[in-house]
Amino acid sequence: MVAAGWHTDKALQAMEEVMLPADMRLRATPPGVQASPWSQEPVPADLPVATRLPDPALDGRSWVVTGDGHRTDVVMSLQFPRVVVFGGLLTPEECQGLMDLATPRLTRSETVQNATGGSEVHSARTSDGMFFERGEFDLVRRIEARIAELLCWPVENGEGVQILRYRPGAEYRPHYDYFDPRHPGSARILARGGQRVGTLVIYLNTPEGGGATTFPDAGL
């Protein structure tokens, strides 16, 4: 686990959660909550029961060829938490094509308002961004189909492809991509588009420095 990028303390904590007998884990959890192995905070018992979701069918392979003949490498695959790093998901021409189509429509990125379900400009997120409609261009449609096949997740269950541009010094501070059901505005969001269960981030170019994505809770 350490070799895969985990911090030592997080790796030990995860191993303890997995190896500790179930009855002991239940006794260690306060009444009225469910145990959450990847969080320091208890999860309220009234949340939906977790179910298994579609997952990249890698079967230990180091590369995957999708139906369009494109080869994508598997650079790293981590089970807990589920993180997969792909290489060459898009060609350089596809990356440039997305940037060219998106550039005229980029505006300041917004964040979700937890109280209302709306959106707002926030200091925690300083990138520029835009969304393509699903299947808006042939290029977008081809990439959506490749992603759906690679992740074993239907195209119709995905959001439109979002393009983000981070200028020097821009950032998105640590956050959750899912919508917390305990927030007042989440009901409006979930009614509009459903819950987020996974995120695929694609890097369209290589900056001189920075450009990293970190998972603070996992030490990755």
Side-chain angles (χ1 to χ4, degrees):
M1 293 173 71
V2 173
W6 286 60
H7 289 177
T8 302
D9 57 340
K10 294 294 184 180
L12 290 172
Q13 177 187 344
M15 292 298 295
E16 290 173 354
E17 292 285 351
V18 172
M19 298 178 69
L20 191 65
D23 60 337
M24 292 182 65
R25 290 202 300 270
L26 289 175
R27 285 200 297 271
T29 304
V33 301
Q34 300 170 347
S36 176
W38 309 117
S39 174
Q40 298 297 325
E41 298 182 1
V43 177
D46 59 348
L47 292 182
V49 176
T51 57
R52 186 172 180 81
L53 297 168
D55 192 47
L58 304 178
D59 301 322
R61 292 175 291 174
S62 60
W63 50 271
V64 177
V65 176
T66 47
D68 59 356
H70 182 81
R71 168 173 166 157
T72 300
D73 295 323
V74 181
V75 178
M76 185 195 79
S77 180
L78 187 65
Q79 283 297 132
F80 302 106
R82 189 65 171 128
V83 179
V84 179
V85 178
F86 294 110
L89 178 60
L90 303 183
T91 67
E93 294 75 19
E94 289 170 334
C95 292
Q96 188 61 54
L98 285 177
M99 288 189 285
D100 291 343
L101 290 170
T103 296
R105 293 159 58 179
L106 291 171
T107 59
R108 174 68 184 270
S109 299
E110 297 184 338
T111 61
V112 171
Q113 289 180 320
N114 292 326
T116 65
S119 61
E120 63 180 351
V121 171
H122 196 282
S123 60
R125 188 179 196 185
T126 51
S127 62
D128 300 315
M130 58 80 65
F131 275 95
F132 288 111
E133 296 291 335
R134 191 182 296 132
E136 183 174 349
F137 297 97
D138 289 341
L139 173 60
V140 173
R141 187 159 48 248
R142 181 169 73 249
I143 293 172
E144 288 173 337
R146 186 181 304 161
I147 292 172
E149 182 179 352
L150 191 62
L151 303 187
C152 301
W153 192 259
V155 170
E156 58 268 22
N157 285 62
E159 297 180 49
V161 173
Q162 182 183 27
I163 305 297
L164 297 170
R165 177 176 60 188
Y166 288 88
R167 300 178 187 273
E171 64 175 347
Y172 197 173
R173 296 174 192 167
H175 61 282
Y176 295 108
D177 271 6
Y178 70 88
F179 305 113
D180 192 330
R182 292 168 291 192
H183 291 155
S186 292
R188 177 184 171 191
I189 299 172
L190 297 178
R192 183 169 64 238
Q195 183 60 277
R196 287 174 172 170
V197 297
T199 301
L200 176 68
V201 178
I202 306 174
Y203 293 91
L204 300 180
N205 60 7
T206 303
E208 295 181 4
T213 296
T214 63
F215 297 87
D217 289 347
L220 178 64

